[in-house]
Amino acid sequence: MKARIGIFGYGNLGRGVESAIRQNDDMELVAVFTRRNPKDVSISTSTAAVCSAQEMENWKDKIDVMILCGGSATDLPEQTPECAKFFHVVDSFDTHARIPEHFANVDAAAKEHGHIGIISVGWDPGMFSLNRLYASAILPEGKDYTFWGKGVSQGHSDAIRRIAGVKDAKQYTIPVEDALAAVRAGKNPTLTVREKHTRECFVVLEEGADAARIEQEIKAMPNYFAEYDTTVHFISEEELRRDHSGIPHGGIVLRSGVTGSDKEHKHMVEYSLKLESNAEFTASVLLAYARAAYRLSAEGQQGCKTVFDIAPAYLSPMGGEALRASML
Amino acid sequence: MKARIGIFGYGNLGRGVESAIRQNDDMELVAVFTRRNPKDVSISTSTAAVCSAQEMENWKDKIDVMILCGGSATDLPEQTPECAKFFHVVDSFDTHARIPEHFANVDAAAKEHGHIGIISVGWDPGMFSLNRLYASAILPEGKDYTFWGKGVSQGHSDAIRRIAGVKDAKQYTIPVEDALAAVRAGKNPTLTVREKHTRECFVVLEEGADAARIEQEIKAMPNYFAEYDTTVHFISEEELRRDHSGIPHGGIVLRSGVTGSDKEHKHMVEYSLKLESNAEFTASVLLAYARAAYRLSAEGQQGCKTVFDIAPAYLSPMGGEALRASML
């Protein structure tokens, strides 16, 4: 029996989940929910429905797991607990400081209605978090490093677009090679924000806009750019479309630690991702955890969980015996 | 309350577990069990006992988790099920073809006596297995690669030592850079055994031994060397001691996969380990899983498990809330 999946929100992430479902035989897409007029949303799965978000309750017996594909700022804090009344839910909530509050809200709603919620699923939080946990549990004396990129930061790109005179923009976060080399060499450097990442911006100006003033404004923007070495390139709209239309991302998690009677042996654990589509990879992680939610619910589990609480075997369509034979 | 740990077998791995316990405040070493005369075994934990393996049953109420530190060929198939009668057990069984049989034996013994057994814990099998599972669950359409090294292979070093005229030897397994580069570039190459790894041997001869004949014999040894490009260096005993006394190892697990409506986006997941002491890192993984065994038993679980069956949070001494706040 296939797990019946719903998608809430049909942007890059929602479309990513839809195409990931086609790569997993044990899942089927039942319906996409949107806050737009369903007539204006065209999906590529002919067997699935497009519904208004308000109709959600009518689908409660037809969908097992709802995958939330909205944003962390305002969508998920509302939508994930709301959906947990009707379905098992999985989201990619990534506002770090608000995780305890979000966890509590999803936990309460899920438990009240006998559902499972898995929050903060993706690659960071998600796969990177898992690697931080595994490596620190194995090497309790050590130091963690996370580098992001090279990749497009949506939030930083948006921040540039809000500047007057900017027509469009794309921002890349890039790890500093020297910093990464020092970490890999086991030097355990203490790195400032500026020493870890640089930021490279590709900006399309409105006609007649003042490039010098805009470059100045970008580089001085606190929290986003002021703390970094930032490079700004002005390019044409056509160049932006041609060379910067993708949403690649990735990064590296490292832990350097010591063992031995005199802590004389060094170890380096490194996990890295190079992703041509940030949204589609995140969607693929969400779907693997949707499978876990579906299976855990069959065992009678409920409440809110994170990637830390899910045994890896639940993510794979293979059974225990096959997993042990092929992957152990 | 600390988890009370026993160590069965006091070689490199057992000593590694002993020093790892000193890095983990929630564990204490209670006793080391040996098949040698306990009087001949001197350990570095003054508060722990050294006992004969035959006394094991007397310790059943004084030890929570026994960590098995013997070899996979003959020790663990006997010892792990035997110990599971008295304690929760964790081992690093790595004879791939015999895992189903070992799993069944440990499962039966553990269930009969209400214990938990976690087998095949370490880095491969172990952390590498986990990474294969996670990456393949996320990217169902893709290709896996595992490279080992640069590191010392105990089995291959032993094979050289058995040749007449060889006084001592050390063998390094080395990944082929070009093969690794092709995988990282997303080319999904089909690689033969020879194309993936080379083997480098450092050999000390007995006086008067025939170097040419020994080099020939090494290079022609089926399964161990014949399938590889093998280099043999003859060195003095002193050089071997000075330059090759460590047991470094490591390796890389990669998965290259595709997503998207036309499978147009490539992704690369890479996990790598660089270990100055193979035994101590393996010991550290064993200890993290001993913590998991202890906690799972407190929840009433029993039977045989592998790394696939253990939710990551059980490995960390931190609670769920602290983990979410610091690592998610």
Side-chain angles (χ1 to χ4, degrees), chain A residues 129 259 265 270 272 280 308 328, chain B residues 129 259 265 270 272 280 328:
Chain A
S129 322
T259 64
H265 293 126
E270 178 170 342
S272 79
E280 287 172 9
F308 296 158
L328 196 60
Chain B
S129 322
T259 64
H265 293 127
E270 179 170 341
S272 80
E280 289 173 7
L328 196 61

Side-chain angles (χ1 to χ4, degrees), chain A residues 200-204 215 231-235:
Chain A
E200 190 170 20
C201 313
F202 293 87
V203 180
V204 180
E215 178 165 350
T231 316
V232 179
H233 308 277
F234 293 101
I235 59 173

Side-chain angles (χ1 to χ4, degrees), chain A residues 44-66:
Chain A
S44 43
T45 306
S46 59
T47 52
V50 181
C51 310
S52 160
Q54 289 151 353
E55 292 174 61
M56 205 165 60
E57 190 169 354
N58 304 334
W59 290 81
K60 75 183 167 62
D61 299 320
K62 296 173 208 151
I63 287 173
D64 299 304
V65 186
M66 182 73 88

Side-chain angles (χ1 to χ4, degrees), chain A residues 153 155-160 162-163 171 193-194 199 214-230:
Chain A
S153 163
H156 287 77
S157 302
D158 290 345
I160 300 172
R162 283 192 295 264
I163 295 174
Q171 192 270 175
V193 162
R194 190 179 299 275
R199 298 198 177 277
I214 287 172
E215 178 165 350
Q216 199 51 41
E217 241 182 271
I218 293 172
K219 289 184 172 176
M221 205 184 295
N223 302 318
Y224 284 86
F225 296 101
E227 297 75 12
Y228 299 86
D229 290 334
T230 300

